[in-house]
Amino acid sequence: EVNLAESGGGLQQTGGSLRLSCAASGFTFDDYAIGWFRQAPGKEREGLSFMGSSDGEIAYANSVKGRFTMSSDNRKNIFYLQMNNLKPEDTAVYYCAADSHIYYTGRYYLDYGMESLGKGTLVIVSS
């Protein structure tokens, strides 16, 4: 059974940084693609970043490219989202995710989502 648990959310000022963590169990990063989504109040869920596609690239949404960095620790089965230069529009519930289907490009998951999501962690960026 795939289990995903986010941590690291909280309140941060504009321009600040936060690092989200996702503790994963029930699968390995060799076999699954992993990623991050967020959902702001009143808005649709947005794909942010994905790893594990067969092209070997880390895909980022345009809204976070250059500010957010995704990484993983395969030995610990934990992956991260480093968020820098935070803006009020980054306020959202952030979810980590995983998918057993490996596609050529991580950008596929931006459009179609992933199989499994965690319960989310709230990030609030004050102006």
Side-chain angles (χ1 to χ4, degrees), residues 33-38 46-52 57-65 68-71 79-82 95-97 106-107 109-110 114:
I34 52 178
W36 290 94
F37 293 80
R38 69 183 178 189
E46 177 188 15
L48 302 178
S49 183
F50 305 96
M51 297 176 69
E57 300 290 326
I58 302 176
Y60 293 97
N62 290 335
S63 58
V64 303
K65 193 176 296 183
F68 290 11
T69 302
M70 183 175 177
S71 62
F79 59 102
Y80 306 96
L81 186 68
Q82 177 67 41
Y95 301 89
C96 59
R107 303 202 64 82
Y109 306 107
L110 286 174
M114 296 186 120

Side-chain angles (χ1 to χ4, degrees), residues 90-119:
D90 294 321
T91 294
V93 177
Y94 284 71
Y95 301 89
C96 59
D99 199 306
S100 61
H101 299 91
I102 305 299
Y103 295 100
Y104 175 72
T105 171
R107 303 202 64 82
Y108 178 92
Y109 306 107
L110 286 174
D111 294 331
Y112 297 105
M114 296 186 120
E115 290 174 323
S116 303
L117 265 67
K119 293 183 177 172

